[in-house]
Amino acid sequence: MRGQNPYSGPSGTALLELYAFVGVAAVAVGLDGRRARAGVSGRSSQQGWMRAIPFMAAFLVVYVLMGALRFDGFSTAIVYGIIPAAGPLITVGAAAAGYAAARNDWQMLGFAIAVVAVGAGSAFAGPSGVWGVAGVCLCALVVCSAIAKVWLRRA
Amino acid sequence: MTADLLDPLIHVPARLRIVATLAALPDGDALSFTRLQKLIGLTPGNLITHLRKLEHAGYLSTEKNGSGVASHTSVALSNRGRAALDAYTAALRDLIAGL
């Protein structure tokens, strides 16, 4: 955040906006999935929640790690700057890569590995730059993935 | 002649749509009658007639749960039905490749 010296992490408003956006996206995905699965019964619908558990665990573990790092005396720049921006991308991306590999879904595997790379690479931008770099790279990745999907479908 | 390999039971447009819709589900999953009807856009009577023909051929299985107003029927593609659709699409591809 601009004007902070020493850096103490993103502002509360910025975090609120980010997590509100993540929340809205999660609800939209949930509703869309529910609509798509209406009337479907059987093995995969029973496995639905089980599939979500690794992703939720991968997301939540980052915040446990943040607490542990703060407790161990790490600086706020690392705990509130780098970890919450890069951490979820690395952990959730890795969980998604494992899921995609188990399903032989090569497109999703490539996307998930790219997300992990964005998360790890964006950490080089430092506490004040990591959010911006991760955001821009993730947007570019989503756009490239959409273009690749359309291109592969047409080929 | 490849055209002879086109399964006449699946070749009927309405039944092809039913089989293709059910084939989109993962193995072991079933679709409710009402959702299938909504997706295919057939009348209940028409859909039942097509489902019976496919069921007699062993291409799908139906299961009725509950009783009375609360009862609902679910439909699933059998392994035989999946294999028949695979054979049908392969035959169709061969036919088109010759054009």
Side-chain angles (χ1 to χ4, degrees), chain A residues 91-142:
Chain A
T91 56
V92 177
Y99 175 74
R103 283 169 51 113
N104 283 336
D105 187 339
W106 300 109
Q107 266 185 43
M108 188 182 169
L109 179 64
F111 181 77
I113 289 172
V115 169
V116 173
V118 165
S122 63
F124 284 100
S128 53
V130 63
W131 289 90
V133 171
V136 169
C137 289
L138 207 58
C139 283
L141 192 61
V142 169

Side-chain angles (χ1 to χ4, degrees), chain B residues 53-71:
Chain B
K53 282 182 183 168
L54 290 166
E55 196 177 8
H56 280 308
Y59 287 1
L60 54 85
S61 60
T62 56
E63 195 182 344
K64 196 173 178 180
N65 297 309
S67 59
V69 209
S71 74

Side-chain angles (χ1 to χ4, degrees), chain B residues 9-90:
Chain B
L9 204 64
I10 296 183
H11 198 54
V12 175
R15 288 202 285 270
L16 179 59
R17 278 158 64 200
I18 292 169
V19 174
T21 303
L22 294 173
L25 293 173
D27 207 16
D29 275 11
L31 194 62
S32 72
F33 181 87
T34 44
R35 181 81 202 274
L36 182 62
Q37 193 206 332
K38 209 176 274 179
L39 288 170
I40 306 289
L42 291 174
T43 62
N46 213 341
L47 181 57
I48 287 171
T49 309
H50 287 303
L51 289 179
R52 277 200 189 128
K53 282 182 183 168
L54 290 166
E55 196 177 8
H56 280 308
Y59 287 1
L60 54 85
S61 60
T62 56
E63 195 182 344
K64 196 173 178 180
N65 297 309
S67 59
V69 209
S71 74
H72 84 275
T73 307
S74 53
V75 189
L77 198 64
S78 66
N79 288 338
R80 195 172 169 183
R82 216 171 271 274
L85 182 66
D86 287 344
Y88 176 84
T89 49

Side-chain angles (χ1 to χ4, degrees), chain A residues 33-107:
Chain A
R34 205 168 162 183
R35 193 176 59 86
R37 295 206 57 81
V40 178
S41 57
R43 206 181 301 156
S44 70
S45 60
Q46 287 158 6
Q47 290 170 342
W49 272 109
M50 274 172 69
R51 263 188 246 133
I53 289 170
F55 290 97
M56 286 193 288
F59 187 72
L60 293 175
V61 80
V62 175
Y63 299 95
V64 178
L65 179 69
M66 278 169 66
L69 290 176
R70 194 74 191 115
F71 180 77
D72 291 338
F74 278 78
S75 70
T76 50
I78 290 174
V79 178
Y80 300 121
I82 291 176
I83 301 291
L89 298 181
I90 295 169
T91 56
V92 177
Y99 175 74
R103 283 169 51 113
N104 283 336
D105 187 339
W106 300 109
Q107 266 185 43

